[in-house]
Amino acid sequence: MAIGEELRSGRFWRGVLAELAATLIFVGMILGASAAPGPLAPALAGGLVAGGLVCTLGGPQANPALTLALLCTRKLSALRGAAGLLAQCAGATLASAAARAALPDDTGLVTRVSAVGTAGTALAWETFATFQLGLAAFAAAEHAAPQAGLALGSAVAAGALAAVYWLGPVLGAVLAGLSYEFILAPGASREKLGACLACRDVALVETPSLSPSSVAHGPPVEQQEQGTA
């Protein structure tokens, strides 16, 4: 779909608003829970709200790392990816400002590397934690599992208990996306990987899959929009 058509599409702007709202809610809930001592409350809040967002808003990424992983695996167009990233950053900024205004001044809202660890250790843990979240997100989307909310919520909670920065999550999510799409997915193949690296249309070489997602999801979003235009 051309950029002009996408910008005139109601589905496009609904997706952008969903990313903004989901990220605002997600970050706001975690920051609110961070007023409690220890990491358990923010981790549980993040897991529960992630599961709820999947059930109510249809599974927005609400996470720049996952959005970048979708871009790298050609699951999102550049326009949708850029718009999603901007919406997520705006939502997170609004949630942070609201939390700072509402919570006491001595509330610790900034995550830091543990005194017993190093920056390298934190990076490794963040990469690993987001890798398992990325695998859960890609697999849940592929198989259209009814327990997707539970799976993603559990992955978010587990990752939050282990390690939240930028570089680690981006590396972990991108590695998870590439691993699932080109190694673990039912339609994975070397031809599909080569098409992605060469910036060709991955759908032209993708192996047909009988997974539930092929039935539940129907044709790609772009085809649905063209058919209803």
Side-chain angles (χ1 to χ4, degrees):
M1 178 180 292
I3 292 179
E5 293 181 28
E6 279 203 296
L7 291 175
R8 292 191 296 270
S9 168
R11 185 188 295 269
F12 172 83
W13 291 110
R14 285 194 297 271
V16 172
L17 289 176
E19 288 297 335
L20 189 152
T23 311
L24 189 153
I25 294 170
F26 181 71
V27 174
M29 291 296 101
I30 293 177
L31 291 179
S34 68
L40 183 58
L44 289 177
L48 291 172
V49 74
L53 289 172
V54 170
C55 297
T56 55
L57 295 181
Q61 293 99 54
N63 186 328
L66 290 179
T67 301
L68 287 171
L70 290 171
L71 278 170
C72 290
T73 53
R74 309 289 299 281
K75 294 290 186 180
L76 279 181
S77 67
L79 178 61
R80 289 179 184 242
L85 289 171
L86 289 174
Q88 291 158 5
C89 290
T93 301
L94 290 174
S96 300
R100 176 50 66 192
L103 295 175
D105 292 337
D106 59 350
T107 303
L109 299 181
V110 180
T111 55
R112 295 180 175 87
V113 178
S114 171
V116 298
T118 64
T121 302
L123 174 63
W125 273 114
E126 278 295 328
T127 301
F128 178 75
T130 316
F131 182 85
Q132 60 89 29
L133 171 61
L135 281 183
F138 273 79
E142 173 73 18
H143 298 292
Q147 304 86 3
L150 177 61
L152 291 177
S154 300
V156 168
L161 285 171
V164 181
Y165 305 94
W166 275 90
L167 182 57
V170 168
L171 288 175
V174 170
L175 287 173
L178 294 175
S179 298
Y180 186 83
E181 285 298 308
F182 304 121
I183 299 176
L184 302 175
S189 68
R190 287 180 295 178
E191 290 77 12
K192 186 178 175 183
L193 174 60
C196 180
L197 294 177
C199 296
R200 302 198 308 272
D201 190 348
V202 175
L204 296 177
V205 298
E206 189 168 14
T207 303
S209 170
L210 297 179
S211 64
S213 62
S214 63
V215 178
H217 290 172
V221 172
E222 288 79 3
Q223 293 181 13
Q224 293 176 8
E225 292 177 351
Q226 291 174 356
T228 56

